[in-house]
Amino acid sequence: MITDAQIERWLREDVGHHDVTNQVPGETTGRLVSKEPGVVAGIEAAAAVFDYLDVAVTDRLEGGSDVEPGDELLRIEGATRAVLRGERVAVNLA
């Protein structure tokens, strides 16, 4: 089980307090796309990061799914600040 404390540690490690993306206004959408063939792993943790940041995970593959380059793993929408804050952590997890 991934806890809020773990997610907050990941976010602090990756972003810090002076990241310029903390100042971007508005709403956005995003997607995590496979760059290489493989098997989906860590997608639940990546989705948990976005859930923690109140970013809606609107679509995602299941862990264990086979993927090819260009396949969409995860689709999100929410506040731009939150999406940008969570994207690097999510990419590192998935």
Side-chain angles (χ1 to χ4, degrees):
M1 173 99 192
I2 298 167
T3 67
D4 287 352
Q6 285 174 305
I7 293 170
E8 190 57 43
R9 268 194 315 273
W10 295 335
L11 291 167
R12 273 196 317 269
E13 269 180 32
D14 197 67
V15 177
H17 297 289
H18 302 297
D19 191 301
V20 295
T21 62
N22 291 339
Q23 305 307 318
V24 179
E27 298 283 315
T28 194
T29 60
R31 52 195 197 115
L32 182 62
V33 176
S34 176
K35 293 173 81 176
E36 298 181 15
V39 176
V40 175
I43 200 75
E44 293 83 9
V49 169
F50 288 119
D51 287 341
Y52 176 80
L53 294 169
D54 292 324
V55 172
V57 176
T58 59
D59 196 20
R60 74 175 187 194
L61 290 180
E62 293 295 319
S65 300
D66 292 327
V67 291
E68 295 297 327
D71 287 353
E72 185 177 286
L73 307 177
L74 179 80
R75 182 178 291 267
I76 56 171
E77 59 184 49
T80 303
R81 291 175 186 173
V83 167
L84 292 173
R85 185 172 180 216
E87 65 88 16
R88 181 54 37 201
V89 173
V91 166
N92 288 339
L93 292 167

